Amino acid sequence: MVRLEKHTQPFASSFYKKYLEDTASLSSFFHYEWNQTALQNRLQETDFSKHKRSELVNVLTNYMSKFGISEKSKKHLEELKDNGIIIIGGQQAGIITGPMYSIHKAISVITLAKQQREKLGVPVIPVFWIAGEDHDIDEINHVYIERGRKLQKVVYPEVSKIKQMASVTKFDNELMSGYMEELFQSLPETLYTKELFSKINNLLENNLTYSDFFAAMMNDLFQEEGLLFIDAAYEPFRKLESEYFQKMVKQSSELAKIVFENEKAFEQSGFGMPIQAKENAAHLFYVENGERFLLERKDNKFVHEAKGISFSEDELMEIAISYPEKLSNNVVTRPLMQEMVFPVLSFIGGPGEIAYWGILKNAFELFDMKMPVIMPRLSISIVNIKTQTLLEKFSFSVPDIWDGAVEAAKLQYINDNRNEKVPALIDSIKQQLVVKYTELDELLQSDDIKLSPLVEKNLRYHENQLKYIQNAIEDNFIGKLDASIHRYDRMIMELTPNGGLQERTYSPLQLLNEVGPNLVNQLLELPYEFNGKHHIAFL
């Protein structure tokens, strides 16, 4: 049985804290608050009949068929074709799903869809949008893993000469095989290790791009829940979006102005500039051979000057009509496109996403739409048995780790065991050396012997030797306390790796190896509430 605790969201920015605790005060930035009343209002006042449901379901079915479509997914596709509405969230295509918050987003989408299906009495379907058009591979090409008691970032070694989209960036078979071997060699052998290694390698066999591997992995974990997937860069999906790209090209100038002004208002409210929008932005990329080039508007043209790309509005409109796969959304137009393509009841967002959505209210209105209800994703920390044992042994809670109390206790433990006479004696020796060398220098000068630089150099030499012995004493002292210090460090590394929440660093690899393939089912069974709290699951 998994125990669940709920706590105030740690490490929250000022904006995210306000969004969680006082959404009403942000009404100038959003159409809805994030509560049940808002979800009911969204359902009642939104025309969900305008979407191209049959075409959308055909695209989703064709995309998902490669990864396997469960019976529940088929049922959800049929409901979507009819009159179903969706809960949607998305993420970049990280290796082995990327950080745990990818898993938590999927759990959020599934959980909210189940809850709203029951409360609203209509088919509510969970959808996961894979940001396969993203081209910043450095953000997704690594896994954090523990080695020699330290957390290490293990990067997939292949370096691409060009920054292609994740959907077309392929792994080298041999390099990826070696990379997986390296990751698994760092894991302790458990009952599940061989099966997990085999499964991941099987998923990799036919899915050798970042996006395909991500989709295959996520589908394997969630298909029995009927979670639907789409890669934003999937070419048939882009063709479905043609009509909407045309609207974005046509309204490009007005859209840029609105977003620029909205972000200024957002900044003046003290929330920074999450998009850093430019007044001449086109908010679209042009795609060529898998590379994306951000367009700007200049002299009535859409340009990317460094690449020498230039289109008139008519030329870009023709691309949107005939070759929509050559266009790609940016951070501004992606939410708009999502609303145009899908019948969205609610969007599940993380802290960063919600911040930039806060700049888009008037952009939605430009296209005669309202934002969906923007629900903060479930934020979860998972505490394994070993960490639970240590927390109980030292009488710490998880918030004690977030607040720095465990780090402080570790330092206190070290200081309590330190022989303070040793540093005091070394300081005394240093002071005596300075006094004696000063006396020596003055005596030499009184005899007109000018050796001050040599005296100074000799003093520095002895001070360095004292520092050397002091460091050796400290190392020896810490070594004696190593086992106890390591227990403090283990709690900190498990629950605040890299100084932040666990879900932002660790992939599910370690937990799948430790807990087994039932991990996701265990997490899905928990009674989550969408209340802005951070959930702690004690496995």
Side-chain angles (χ1 to χ4, degrees):
M1 183 67 183
V2 180
R3 179 165 62 89
L4 195 65
E5 287 183 2
K6 293 157 194 167
H7 294 273
T8 300
Q9 188 73 35
F11 308 115
S13 67
S14 60
F15 170 76
Y16 193 51
K17 188 174 170 59
K18 187 169 276 290
Y19 190 79
L20 295 178
E21 297 172 1
D22 185 20
T23 329
S25 68
L26 298 173
S27 60
S28 62
F29 300 116
F30 300 95
H31 286 111
Y32 299 99
E33 294 180 37
W34 54 279
N35 52 37
Q36 193 58 43
T37 302
L39 290 161
Q40 286 164 338
N41 290 343
R42 168 75 172 171
L43 176 64
Q44 288 163 6
E45 65 189 32
T46 307
D47 178 11
F48 290 120
S49 66
K50 64 184 186 295
H51 297 91
K52 301 175 182 176
R53 290 177 178 270
S54 294
E55 295 95 321
L56 175 59
V57 168
N58 285 341
V59 168
L60 291 170
T61 304
N62 289 336
Y63 174 73
M64 291 179 63
S65 60
K66 177 180 179 181
F67 309 106
I69 304 177
S70 68
E71 288 305 312
K72 194 160 187 181
S73 294
K74 286 176 185 174
K75 180 191 171 211
H76 283 165
L77 286 164
E78 284 301 316
E79 288 177 333
L80 182 56
K81 195 171 186 177
D82 185 15
N83 66 344
I85 54 178
I86 72 159
I87 307 290
I88 191 166
Q91 189 54 41
Q92 293 162 294
I95 292 176
I96 313 181
T97 80
M100 276 295 293
Y101 61 65
S102 298
I103 301 291
H104 301 162
K105 276 188 178 176
I107 289 171
S108 304
V109 168
I110 291 163
T111 301
L112 188 61
K114 282 180 180 176
Q115 291 176 0
Q116 294 311 309
R117 180 181 284 259
E118 190 176 319
K119 288 178 180 176
L120 299 176
V122 296
V124 184
I125 299 143
V127 177
F128 198 96
W129 176 304
I130 301 166
E133 57 196 353
D134 281 7
H135 57 257
D136 195 343
I137 301 301
D138 289 343
E139 286 190 3
I140 60 173
N141 67 351
H142 55 271
V143 172
Y144 281 95
I145 206 145
E146 186 187 345
R147 282 174 168 172
R149 297 187 179 183
K150 290 187 177 175
L151 196 61
Q152 287 192 9
K153 180 180 181 180
V154 185
V155 180
Y156 169 64
E158 187 175 13
V159 179
S160 177
K161 291 174 185 172
I162 56 173
K163 293 186 82 170
Q164 290 187 310
M165 298 187 297
S167 288
V168 297
T169 303
K170 290 188 174 180
F171 304 126
D172 177 276
N173 263 338
E174 198 173 323
L175 280 177
M176 180 50 82
S177 179
Y179 180 70
M180 284 299 158
E181 288 274 3
E182 183 184 359
L183 290 178
F184 272 83
Q185 281 169 7
S186 300
L187 296 174
E189 183 80 28
T190 70
L191 292 170
Y192 311 109
T193 308
K194 286 181 182 173
E195 182 186 344
L196 180 61
F197 182 69
S198 176
K199 173 177 277 191
I200 287 176
N201 279 301
N202 287 340
L203 291 174
L204 265 168
E205 256 181 43
N206 299 308
N207 300 293
L208 279 170
T209 67
Y210 279 93
S211 289
D212 280 357
F213 181 38
F214 179 88
M217 187 90 191
M218 292 289 280
N219 190 56
D220 182 78
L221 292 170
F222 291 104
Q223 65 177 331
E224 295 313 314
E225 294 294 327
L227 182 61
L228 306 183
F229 294 94
I230 188 62
D231 180 349
Y234 182 53
E235 194 166 307
F237 190 55
R238 287 276 174 79
K239 290 187 183 301
L240 176 66
E241 295 171 337
S242 169
E243 174 189 338
Y244 314 124
F245 276 128
Q246 293 170 51
K247 288 182 179 181
M248 289 170 184
V249 171
K250 205 75 181 163
Q251 300 276 21
S252 176
S253 176
E254 187 65 20
L255 175 62
K257 184 182 175 189
I258 285 171
V259 171
F260 183 76
E261 289 174 354
N262 278 17
E263 189 163 39
K264 276 201 293 189
F266 198 78
E267 186 188 24
Q268 285 162 7
S269 297
F271 302 130
M273 299 178 68
I275 294 177
Q276 297 188 326
K278 296 178 180 177
E279 212 166 357
N280 64 335
H283 295 302
L284 289 172
F285 288 90
Y286 178 70
V287 180
E288 192 175 271
N289 298 323
E291 282 189 88
R292 294 201 306 170
F293 302 98
L294 188 61
L295 299 176
E296 292 186 342
R297 292 172 299 102
K298 186 176 181 182
D299 301 329
N300 294 318
K301 299 274 189 179
F302 292 83
V303 304
H304 185 285
E305 290 184 325
K307 183 68 177 173
I309 293 169
S310 176
F311 301 110
S312 67
E313 183 178 305
D314 287 344
E315 287 169 334
L316 196 61
M317 187 66 79
E318 180 54 37
I319 290 168
I321 294 167
S322 304
Y323 307 101
E325 68 277 9
K326 289 183 175 292
L327 294 178
S328 172
N329 296 121
N330 81 334
V331 69
V332 167
T333 50
R334 194 202 77 78
L336 298 170
M337 184 64 83
Q338 177 179 284
E339 183 65 20
M340 291 168 180
V341 174
F342 286 99
V344 182
L345 174 69
S346 175
F347 169 71
I348 298 275
E353 289 170 305
I354 293 173
Y356 72 69
W357 274 70
I359 292 159
L360 303 180
K361 182 179 182 181
N362 294 2
F364 272 77
E365 292 172 359
L366 176 65
F367 294 96
D368 299 317
M369 303 185 300
K370 273 190 174 184
M371 286 182 181
V373 176
I374 301 171
M375 190 69 69
R377 69 164 171 80
L378 295 170
S379 179
I380 308 168
S381 289
I382 297 166
V383 188
N384 63 17
I385 293 292
K386 288 178 184 174
T387 308
Q388 285 178 58
T389 303
L390 288 172
L391 289 169
E392 288 165 11
K393 179 179 176 64
F394 289 92
S395 299
F396 287 127
S397 67
V398 175
D400 287 335
I401 296 177
W402 297 335
D403 297 342
V406 176
E407 181 67 33
K410 181 184 87 170
L411 295 175
Q412 185 65 50
Y413 170 77
I414 291 169
N415 288 330
D416 287 347
N417 284 275
R418 193 187 300 281
N419 185 343
E420 293 299 338
K421 291 180 181 178
V422 173
L425 181 57
I426 290 173
D427 280 343
S428 172
I429 294 169
K430 282 182 186 175
Q431 289 166 17
Q432 287 177 40
L433 277 171
V434 171
V435 170
K436 294 302 178 185
Y437 270 88
T438 303
E439 285 180 14
L440 175 61
D441 190 37
E442 288 171 353
L443 188 60
L444 291 173
Q445 286 189 49
S446 70
D447 288 342
D448 201 27
I449 299 172
K450 295 182 171 55
L451 288 176
S452 292
L454 181 60
V455 172
E456 178 71 18
K457 183 178 179 183
N458 201 254
L459 172 60
R460 295 289 162 255
Y461 171 78
H462 283 292
E463 285 178 336
N464 286 334
Q465 287 301 302
L466 281 170
K467 191 172 184 180
Y468 177 80
I469 197 168
Q470 193 170 16
N471 288 340
I473 292 166
E474 182 71 8
D475 289 346
N476 193 275
F477 163 66
I478 294 295
K480 283 185 176 181
L481 303 180
D482 178 65
S484 295
I485 292 171
H486 177 56
R487 288 183 289 189
Y488 288 102
D489 287 340
R490 168 139 294 287
M491 289 184 279
I492 294 165
M493 188 169 70
E494 281 286 325
L495 291 163
T496 52
N498 293 332
L501 284 174
Q502 177 196 79
E503 63 185 7
R504 302 199 70 81
T505 294
Y506 285 116
S507 84
L509 181 62
Q510 288 95 325
L511 278 166
L512 287 167
N513 182 59
E514 185 179 336
V515 178
N518 199 35
L519 169 68
V520 167
N521 289 336
Q522 286 187 56
L523 293 175
L524 280 163
E525 286 168 4
L526 294 174
Y528 299 109
E529 293 176 49
F530 287 89
N531 55 10
K533 300 292 186 185
H534 183 81
H535 295 69
I536 305 172
F538 294 85
L539 295 182

